Amino acid sequence: MDILPQLLINGLISGSTIALIAVGLSLIFGVLKFMNFAHGEIAMLGAYFYYYFFITLGWPVLPSMAITVALCAFVGFLFNRFIFWPLRKESQWTLLIVSVGVGMLIKNSVQLVASGSTRTYSQANEPSVVHHFFGDALIITSNQILIIVSAFVLMLGLFFFLKYSKLGKSIRALSDNMSLAGVVGIDIRRSVDWIFVLSSAIAGFAGILIAYEESLTPNMGQHLSILAFVAVILGGLGSIPGALVGGLLIGLLQDVGTGLTIGGYSIPSSYKSLIAFSVLILFLLFRPRGLFGISLEEDKSQKE
Amino acid sequence: MENILTIRAAHKAFGGLKAIDGCSFEVRRGSITGLIGPNGAGKTTAFNLLTGLSTPDSGTVHFEGKDITRWPTYKRARLGLTRTFQMIRIFPELTVLDNLKVALKDNQQGLHQIFLNQKKLQARLTEEALELLDTVNLADKAHLFAGQLSYGQQKLLEILRAAAMDPRMILLDEPAAGINRTALKTITDLILHLQAQGKTILIIEHDMNFIMQLCEKVIVMDFGRVIAEGTPGDIQKNPKVLEAYLGRTAA
Amino acid sequence: MNYFYHLATLMCLYLLLAQSMNMYLGFTGILALCHIAFYGIGAYASALLVMHGAPFELAFLAAGILPALLSILLGLTSIRLKADYLGIATLGFAQIVSSILQNWDSLTRGALGLAGIPKPEIFGVTFADKASFFYLTAGITAVLMFVMYRILKSPFGRVLETIRDDEVAAMSLGKNTVAYKLTAFGIGALVAGFAGSLFAHFITFIDPASFVINDLSLILVITVLGGLGTFRGPFLGVLAIMVFFEPLRFLPLPAEYLGPLRLWIYSLLFVLTLRFVPSGLGGLWKHRSRRGQQFTRY
């Protein structure tokens, strides 16, 4: 089991980025009551923006990150203002299928502009510093340390933001009860705009982090959407801490699941996505309310 | 076979909230029974348990002498137990006529029946549906989409659709809410007409005049259980009932 | 002339794909996003069977039945779920199928794909050239479309629409909605599998990349542009796409831009249609009701 610490760290890295996407998904679900199929595509978009500024244009790290996050936030804002918000009174079904379309639009745009070929940051970048722990049992690059640290700082920041800031409080009020929030004077449209800005910014940042670890393809967005979904379901619908924990768990499960060899058997890493899918199906069958959230049945009866 | 429907010692909790807490009552065959109580008393949840939209944590539901506690909704409906909803649930993108035809008993809706020549049957079903619509003066609206009807007309259509199934018992969830006086008269007549056909009716309603005028027996719920039952006259004098309503109003 | 037959054959396949998806998506309201997976399974099943010596007739049947069975299995686990859960479960299923096609080298030859798929031979007649293949495809399409027409216009089809409009109400009227949904989903997968078989023997080369999610945009845009839940929708959708967007192929642009450009236009069209004309071209004929006022629909 020498390999276990390494697997845990790898899982933590991918898990923390999934968690960041899942939180945004959960926030959007809270107000508009639909799972945004386009959300993972925003992360993909972030990775490509960053590639453009950081590698192609050769800007320094921080300005590249700042403009990437800002652009993602802006894209999220635009799609909300012109697509999702005007359709909010339609059925959840309509919103869902529209978000599938928006996701395809983002992906095809990237494919058109950046072409479908695979890219990696390291192509143009010198290999990063490597740290060894426990002899050689655990190898972490400084990039990976940065990823984990920044993801956790961001999560903490978000937690305090939602808990204590004025905007954060109105966001929570909104996801609790939209019509009531309007009555007590919260500007619903503005708050929903902010939710999209915020969650798209976080997803864009997660995209940057992911691209440090994996190669970029326009198809990665959909995969990220699925993982984030599974995280949200795992953690329980409508629960922000749940989405965070769910994201970490799914990352850990994937890496530990494909890395471990038990009794001579192991899951080939090419079937990594099978793990997330199996977890999803198991949860949907046996524990639809997730680890922390409320059940679908309750959700329905409250509406009635 | 006095009672057509019985619910015994039912419990249902959502998270920490006990929506139904030891609820028991029975409904006599062929009667019109009222189910009243303050908001949040668990009336609609009780309807959900009776029709299988949710299952009780404990307790039983019997209909026509059969234990249907764990039956799925559609099987209960086939046995003759159907309902309407507080929030209208018609099929907005189907025509008014099709809303009824789809519910009619004799319709051949199996996949193996798609190649049958159904011309005669469908003509007969259309006839039947139009007759039903005629009883509430909606026949001229038959070819509109149900979503185009007014609120009151949609409510009527929903009750009519339940009746089209020719069930033995219909549960009506607030049939009179938000309805004007003329439409209210039509709904009252329709309910009496259904009773005359031998159907049993259970009604949730806040409009007390409506309940007192129609029902021979009234069941009062509060905190997820039955606190009183009896004739409308008894209920109006029952101090527990007054307390449940007034106590809630004061708070 | 060969180009015409080629195009006409593709139109038939798109028509089949769009109508079979419309069956569960538009008429029944099942938001499943794995139509391409059914299509791919059908194509691979048929190609592999014929390449291992099975007659085309048998391979064609198997190409439909296999995805239909898989759709029932998938449906049993997830068809009761709310739309977002079902959407993600089916999307996950599509990813699994594509990763199996890519990684099960001993059977599917992985990313290399299957080359040299024989042209179909039915009762001793080989449909080798473009024209005869078109007639075969058109014949099969006509039969399948007729069957789907009967299904969707029958009382059975009417029940599917009630499930789309309000599943709880349909249950309360005694309809076994789960069985109806599984049937509609299964038939959709069956027809998609048939289309996949025809595609494999038409193109004679398939690889996992032929069945990636990209092509879902095309089928979705055909279905939505034509009008969800109308039988004429897919016809109009296919026609619109072929007449207005097929010519894009002849734009003086390098090939690596043309493909993505078309997909980009399709997805834009898809979003704009849903945003501004949700009932699609087919719905322009039909006066649609206003919905979503005092009731929410799931």
Side-chain angles (χ1 to χ4, degrees):
Chain A
M1 290 283 171
D2 288 350
I3 192 176
L4 192 59
Q6 184 72 52
L7 292 176
L8 286 176
I9 287 295
N10 290 351
L12 206 60
I13 292 165
S14 60
S16 55
T17 51
I18 296 167
L20 289 178
I21 302 172
V23 167
L25 200 61
S26 195
L27 279 174
I28 295 172
F29 183 87
V31 284
L32 292 185
K33 304 296 175 213
F34 79 104
M35 290 282 210
N36 184 0
F37 276 85
H39 201 58
E41 309 291 349
I42 300 275
M44 182 274 294
L45 193 63
Y48 270 90
F49 275 142
Y50 186 66
Y51 183 91
Y52 178 71
F53 291 108
F54 182 54
I55 309 275
T56 312
L57 295 186
W59 289 17
V61 174
L62 284 180
S64 309
M65 281 190 177
I67 186 137
T68 297
V69 167
L71 282 172
C72 285
F74 185 60
V75 170
F77 167 80
L78 284 183
F79 276 118
N80 175 48
R81 194 42 91 73
F82 293 108
I83 309 284
F84 295 126
W85 177 255
L87 291 172
R88 70 196 176 283
K89 294 245 167 78
E90 292 289 319
S91 64
Q92 180 210 31
W93 197 91
T94 309
L95 281 168
L96 275 177
I97 192 157
V98 168
S99 79
V100 173
V102 169
M104 294 192 307
L105 185 59
I106 296 176
K107 190 189 70 182
N108 291 332
S109 308
V110 170
Q111 201 136 29
L112 183 62
V113 176
S115 90
S117 61
T118 305
R119 291 151 197 253
T120 49
Y121 287 0
S122 52
Q123 271 173 0
N125 220 359
E126 59 211 70
S128 59
V129 186
V130 175
H131 303 273
H132 295 257
F133 297 90
F134 312 118
D136 275 341
L138 183 56
I139 300 169
I140 309 178
T141 64
S142 37
N143 274 345
Q144 291 175 324
I145 295 176
L146 269 177
I147 291 175
I148 298 185
V149 171
S150 52
F152 275 86
V153 168
L154 199 55
M155 286 180 211
L156 264 180
L158 186 69
F159 178 75
F160 284 108
F161 169 77
L162 286 176
K163 187 123 191 163
Y164 298 109
S165 78
K166 194 167 170 247
L167 184 60
K169 279 179 190 163
S170 51
I171 286 174
R172 282 190 298 137
L174 270 184
S175 39
D176 219 32
N177 189 330
M178 194 120 151
S179 42
L180 204 64
V183 173
V184 299
I186 292 172
D187 183 345
I188 298 179
R189 187 165 97 147
R190 215 180 121 248
S191 308
V192 173
D193 276 345
W194 273 111
I195 286 173
F196 269 87
V197 165
L198 192 67
S199 33
S200 305
I202 297 172
F205 186 74
I208 299 175
L209 298 183
I210 289 164
Y212 268 107
E213 279 297 288
E214 292 168 24
S215 45
L216 272 64
T217 74
N219 290 322
M220 69 197 259
Q222 195 202 354
H223 188 58
L224 292 172
S225 285
I226 296 184
L227 291 177
F229 257 88
V230 180
V232 169
I233 290 166
L234 206 64
L237 209 56
S239 157
I240 303 286
L244 288 175
V245 177
L248 290 174
L249 264 179
I250 204 72
L252 286 170
L253 274 176
Q254 276 202 335
D255 278 294
V256 176
T258 50
L260 278 186
T261 307
I262 297 167
Y265 290 97
S266 64
I267 305 171
S269 60
S270 46
Y271 288 113
K272 214 174 179 178
S273 52
L274 202 61
I275 294 184
F277 182 66
S278 319
V279 171
L280 174 73
I281 293 291
L282 286 176
F283 258 75
L284 291 180
L285 284 179
F286 298 112
R287 205 181 154 79
R289 68 173 61 190
L291 295 172
F292 305 99
I294 51 159
S295 79
L296 302 177
E297 197 187 347
E298 281 167 52
D299 207 26
K300 208 160 67 189
S301 63
Q302 276 169 359
K303 262 210 180 97
E304 189 108 19
Chain B
M1 285 293 282
E2 259 285 79
N3 295 325
I4 186 167
L5 179 84
T6 316
I7 180 167
R8 278 273 156 266
H11 290 261
K12 178 77 187 177
F14 296 116
L17 180 78
K18 286 177 184 160
I20 294 289
D21 191 12
C23 176
S24 303
F25 61 81
E26 52 278 314
V27 178
R28 210 168 55 78
R29 179 187 300 279
S31 70
I32 299 179
T33 306
L35 182 60
I36 64 170
N39 281 324
K43 305 181 297 287
T44 293
T45 311
F47 265 29
N48 287 346
L49 296 185
L50 294 175
T51 52
L53 290 182
S54 59
T55 40
D57 301 331
S58 65
T60 57
V61 180
H62 282 80
F63 180 70
E64 290 285 12
K66 292 192 174 68
D67 183 349
I68 58 165
T69 313
R70 314 246 152 230
W71 283 28
T73 302
Y74 78 91
K75 271 180 87 176
R76 301 182 196 217
R78 283 185 189 170
L79 189 61
L81 176 63
T82 190
R83 69 176 289 185
T84 66
F85 296 86
Q86 187 184 341
M87 313 271 275
I88 298 177
R89 284 178 179 273
I90 48 155
F91 306 124
E93 296 191 43
L94 262 57
T95 63
V96 172
L97 191 66
D98 280 337
N99 262 273
L100 293 182
K101 274 175 78 177
V102 91
L104 283 169
K105 227 181 193 170
D106 297 338
N107 214 340
Q108 307 282 304
Q109 293 164 326
L111 184 62
H112 56 285
Q113 287 154 328
I114 59 166
F115 287 112
L116 293 182
N117 183 355
Q118 292 208 4
K119 275 215 175 86
K120 262 192 187 156
L121 174 72
Q122 290 302 321
R124 202 193 86 211
L125 294 177
T126 304
E127 203 60 30
E128 269 181 54
L130 284 173
E131 272 170 34
L132 273 169
L133 282 171
D134 216 26
T135 59
V136 294
N137 299 320
L138 277 182
D140 56 326
K141 304 269 196 291
H143 296 286
L144 291 181
F145 287 104
Q148 293 171 307
L149 296 181
S150 72
Y151 180 81
Q153 290 167 336
Q154 291 189 3
K155 281 225 131 161
L156 264 173
L157 177 64
E158 201 190 6
I159 302 174
L160 216 51
R161 188 183 62 186
M165 278 179 65
D166 195 20
R168 300 185 212 187
M169 178 166 183
I170 305 178
L171 314 184
L172 301 173
D173 198 343
E174 302 202 15
I179 298 288
N180 67 34
R181 232 160 235 288
T182 19
L184 198 62
K185 173 84 171 71
T186 321
I187 287 183
T188 314
D189 290 347
L190 179 58
I191 293 173
L192 288 171
H193 177 68
L194 291 174
Q195 186 198 24
Q197 290 178 344
K199 299 187 196 326
T200 312
I201 316 271
L202 179 64
I203 309 174
I204 294 180
E205 188 48 71
H206 286 292
D207 181 340
M208 281 308 141
N209 285 332
F210 184 80
I211 288 281
M212 297 304 161
Q213 173 197 346
L214 269 175
C215 302
E216 55 210 64
K217 181 183 150 188
V218 178
I219 299 166
V220 190
M221 280 182 76
D222 198 13
F223 300 113
R225 64 174 78 99
V226 174
I227 56 165
E229 47 188 311
T231 63
D234 293 343
I235 292 299
Q236 276 171 319
K237 283 176 244 148
N238 190 320
K240 271 197 200 160
V241 178
L242 287 174
E243 192 196 313
Y245 275 94
L246 293 177
R248 201 59 66 89
T249 319
Chain C
M1 206 51 197
N2 261 352
Y3 176 69
F4 166 77
Y5 284 121
H6 182 92
L7 208 60
T9 307
L10 281 181
M11 280 173 78
C12 287
L13 295 182
Y14 288 141
L15 189 59
L16 282 179
L17 283 173
Q19 194 67 278
S20 54
M21 186 165 196
N22 198 18
M23 168 99 90
Y24 59 78
L25 185 80
F27 279 89
T28 322
I30 299 171
L31 186 73
L33 301 170
C34 52
H35 211 55
I36 288 294
F38 297 144
Y39 185 53
I41 294 168
Y44 265 88
S46 183
L48 285 170
L49 278 172
V50 171
M51 288 165 92
H52 286 85
F56 175 76
E57 297 91 325
L58 183 77
F60 180 75
L61 282 181
I65 291 168
L66 184 64
L69 288 179
L70 285 171
S71 76
I72 304 281
L73 278 181
L74 178 66
L76 282 174
T77 62
S78 50
I79 214 152
R80 287 161 218 258
L81 302 168
K82 287 207 315 187
D84 10 22
Y85 294 77
L86 180 64
I88 205 67
T90 50
L91 209 54
F93 174 77
Q95 279 211 340
I96 299 295
V97 169
S98 113
S99 85
I100 287 175
L101 292 183
Q102 267 172 41
N103 294 308
W104 192 352
D105 290 348
S106 56
L107 184 69
T108 65
R109 297 178 15 99
L112 293 173
L114 299 172
I117 302 166
K119 288 289 180 183
E121 191 190 310
I122 302 173
F123 304 124
V125 186
T126 313
F127 296 85
D129 61 304
K130 295 260 183 208
S132 62
F133 198 96
F134 165 69
Y135 292 124
L136 174 70
T137 311
I140 293 176
T141 306
V143 171
L144 290 175
M145 291 303 277
F146 175 69
V147 174
M148 284 194 278
Y149 178 81
R150 289 299 299 208
I151 293 173
L152 293 171
K153 296 293 172 184
S154 69
F156 175 88
R158 201 51 47 80
V159 175
L160 296 184
E161 291 182 89
T162 68
I163 293 171
R164 172 198 64 204
D165 272 13
D166 197 321
E167 188 175 354
V168 171
M171 281 194 269
S172 304
L173 295 176
K175 314 299 175 217
N176 185 352
T177 55
V178 173
Y180 275 100
K181 282 161 83 177
L182 282 177
T183 314
F185 195 36
I187 296 171
L190 182 84
V191 175
F194 287 150
S197 163
L198 288 171
F199 176 76
H201 297 277
F202 174 58
I203 298 289
T204 69
F205 169 76
I206 52 173
D207 64 349
S210 325
F211 306 104
V212 288
I213 210 81
N214 285 341
D215 302 302
L216 188 66
S217 1
L218 180 56
I219 301 170
L220 271 175
V221 76
I222 289 174
T223 320
V224 166
L225 185 69
L228 280 169
T230 58
F231 188 79
R232 67 172 90 89
F235 290 92
L236 296 171
V238 168
L239 218 64
I241 290 294
M242 284 298 167
V243 172
F244 294 108
F245 298 101
E246 181 59 26
L248 285 175
R249 195 185 284 280
F250 301 110
L251 280 181
L253 276 174
E256 67 260 38
Y257 282 110
L258 265 182
L261 180 67
R262 281 170 49 188
L263 286 175
W264 184 80
I265 292 176
Y266 294 153
S267 44
L268 184 68
L269 205 59
F270 175 71
V271 173
L272 293 181
T273 308
L274 278 171
R275 168 73 177 81
F276 296 106
V277 210
S279 54
L281 291 173
L284 293 180
W285 268 271
K286 177 179 163 189
H287 183 72
R288 299 284 279 214
S289 56
R290 282 179 60 75
R291 61 163 193 260
Q293 293 226 301
Q294 57 279 77
F295 31 78
T296 31
R297 187 181 74 151
Y298 283 110

